[in-house]
Amino acid sequence: MCPNLKRMARVFSGIQPSGELHLGNLLGALVNWVDHQKSHDAVYCIVDLHALTLPKNPEELRKNSLELAQLLIAVGINPEESILFMQSHVPEHSQLAWLMECTVSFGELNRMTAFKDKSGRNEFISGGLFTYPALQAADILLYDTDLVPVGDDQRQHIEITRDIAERFNSRFGDTFVVPKHVIPPAGARIMDLQHPERKMSKSELSPAGTINVLETPESITKKIKRAVTDSDGDVRFDVEEKPGVSNLLSILAAATSSTPEKVASSYSRYGDLKSDTADAVIALLRPIQEKFRELESDPAETSRLLTLGSSKAREISSATLGRAMQNIGLLET
Ligand code: ATP
Ligand code: LTN
């Protein structure tokens, strides 16, 4: 199929089953995923192969993968209307990834800040961690993706995907749609509550700084009350000078569909800002937690939905892979 055929714009995004889903994932990415379903053809992938780039316990990986699928549905992804699937269930991802590895240069991979971050923090650095962006490019390009909703930390990975697609198209003829990223205005970068200079992250061991989507109201309140602020007592959005307070303003703004600047103008005391932020987060998470408990009791239904997702995904991905293999000069079977 020609990738330029007129059709509804397609969004694609991915998330790793690498630990518990947190508020940064929800506000930076998933809220946007749910929104895009209304006006786009949406494809969402649990990138379990990407999770293997850092050492994982097999049982935990399996459990996290199923739980993440249930959480995504609980957040509002509709697997009957959109496509929701596991990356490892669609072999075209690994197959196209090799063509992508051979299209990207060592120098380009070497400039990725996510690799520098993660390789600096881990003892075992796999080859896969280095070539990770090639697999991510394959994920995106397989679906003739127009838009990729992600948090701010993924900007560089989408840029490299665009570079790979353009290089492939110019060497081998029109093969891939060149995608654009979509970064949400509020919540694009939710920071750790204890270390507001670094992002809230699944793989960073900072329990007091991370709010998980399944966390209890008591624990959420406690963590937000203890969040690091500063001593000048002024409620103002200023990421450089006041990272802790600005992070709370971003969270409250994203949870209430406002902007951090607008939210800041309603507060003069850190205590009030903290208690309203805790209440807004609890209210945001309550319905998600309730829906998750329902889904958790029926794992067979989740498996059925994932099988449906991978079969819909393969219809699209096999056509793109075939086109790429042919254009690059591989002999047909
Ligand atoms: P890891 O720490 O293992 O890299 P992660 O918590 O960064 O995991 P990912 O699976 O890499 O989560 O990301 C899923 C989505 O959530 C991506 O679109 C990413 O941009 C977004 N995201 C992750 N952390 C944040 C954050 N702190 N603020 C905003 N968005 C975020
Ligand atoms: N690298 C991303 C996860 C990811 C992704 C994707 C995001 C893998 N493939 C394709 C968007 C599109 C991350 O670490 N958040």
Side-chain angles (χ1 to χ4, degrees):
M1 189 192 72
C2 166
N4 296 326
L5 267 189
K6 257 215 172 316
R7 53 172 173 75
M8 204 193 263
R10 180 166 292 144
V11 299
F12 177 95
S13 201
I15 182 163
Q16 297 191 54
S18 54
E20 291 189 53
L21 200 69
H22 57 74
L23 202 58
N25 301 132
L26 182 68
L27 299 177
L30 303 182
V31 166
N32 234 2
W33 288 22
V34 172
D35 250 22
H36 277 104
Q37 290 182 124
K38 296 177 202 140
S39 46
H40 295 85
D41 188 2
V43 185
Y44 298 127
C45 179
I46 297 175
V47 292
D48 51 354
L49 298 175
H50 275 109
L52 298 177
T53 55
L54 292 174
K56 290 281 170 320
N57 170 298
E59 277 318 310
E60 254 172 52
L61 177 61
R62 236 187 305 278
K63 178 176 163 288
N64 285 342
S65 299
L66 182 69
E67 185 177 294
L68 182 54
Q70 291 164 337
L71 275 167
L72 294 179
I73 299 170
V75 164
I77 303 301
N78 179 345
E80 309 267 4
E81 299 265 315
S82 304
I83 301 181
L84 175 66
F85 69 102
M86 302 293 306
Q87 189 183 31
S88 62
H89 294 180
V90 176
E92 286 79 7
H93 288 250
S94 319
Q95 291 174 278
L96 186 65
W98 181 252
L99 306 196
M100 302 293 93
E101 280 187 46
C102 298
T103 306
V104 71
S105 73
F106 178 85
E108 284 169 316
L109 292 174
N110 215 17
R111 285 195 286 277
M112 294 292 110
T113 54
F115 174 73
K116 286 186 190 139
D117 268 12
K118 290 192 178 174
S119 60
R121 283 192 264 122
N122 290 283
E123 214 170 279
F124 178 79
I125 303 164
S126 68
L129 188 64
F130 187 66
T131 58
Y132 181 118
L135 177 59
Q136 182 160 352
D139 297 341
I140 297 169
L141 299 180
L142 275 173
Y143 297 92
D144 298 334
T145 303
D146 301 290
L147 298 172
V148 190
V150 280
D152 189 51
D153 60 314
Q154 291 299 309
R155 209 180 271 270
Q156 208 186 14
H157 285 157
I158 312 306
E159 282 304 319
I160 199 174
T161 300
R162 289 171 57 83
D163 293 344
I164 293 174
E166 279 166 358
R167 184 171 306 144
F168 196 102
N169 286 347
S170 83
R171 282 194 190 154
F172 306 115
D174 210 12
T175 309
F176 298 121
V177 172
V178 182
K180 291 196 178 72
H181 60 235
V182 207
I183 313 259
R189 208 169 173 78
I190 301 298
M191 311 309 277
D192 187 292
L193 298 175
Q194 290 300 317
H195 304 276
E197 67 294 342
R198 65 185 195 212
K199 71 165 197 158
M200 195 178 277
S201 159
K202 290 200 226 92
S203 45
E204 199 68 55
L205 283 178
S206 176
T210 307
I211 293 181
N212 291 321
V213 170
L214 294 178
E215 199 142 342
T216 63
E218 296 70 33
S219 169
I220 294 170
T221 306
K222 206 194 267 166
K223 287 184 183 178
I224 293 184
K225 289 235 155 98
R226 290 185 185 164
V228 166
T229 50
D230 51 54
S231 55
D232 80 8
D234 191 16
V235 179
R236 140 173 85 77
F237 187 66
D238 179 343
V239 175
E240 292 296 314
E241 297 289 320
K242 301 173 70 68
V245 172
S246 301
N247 191 33
L248 292 172
L249 290 169
S250 297
I251 293 174
L252 182 53
T256 55
S257 310
S258 181
T259 64
E261 291 81 3
K262 246 190 238 160
V263 170
S265 65
S266 325
Y267 291 92
S268 54
R269 292 172 23 178
Y270 292 172
D272 297 337
L273 171 64
K274 285 184 168 180
S275 62
D276 284 3
T277 304
D279 290 347
V281 170
I282 293 166
L284 177 76
L285 298 185
R286 187 177 300 120
I288 298 174
Q289 297 181 347
E290 285 168 4
K291 178 79 183 155
F292 174 78
R293 299 294 167 217
E294 268 171 45
L295 294 161
E296 198 187 26
S297 62
D298 192 357
E301 173 61 5
T302 310
S303 300
R304 181 190 74 79
L305 292 168
L306 289 173
T307 305
L308 172 73
S310 54
S311 85
K312 288 194 282 186
R314 289 200 77 179
E315 279 175 29
I316 308 170
S317 63
S318 58
T320 317
L321 177 69
R323 196 165 66 228
M325 289 174 75
Q326 186 175 27
N327 292 356
I328 207 171
L330 297 171
L331 196 61
E332 278 173 63
T333 51

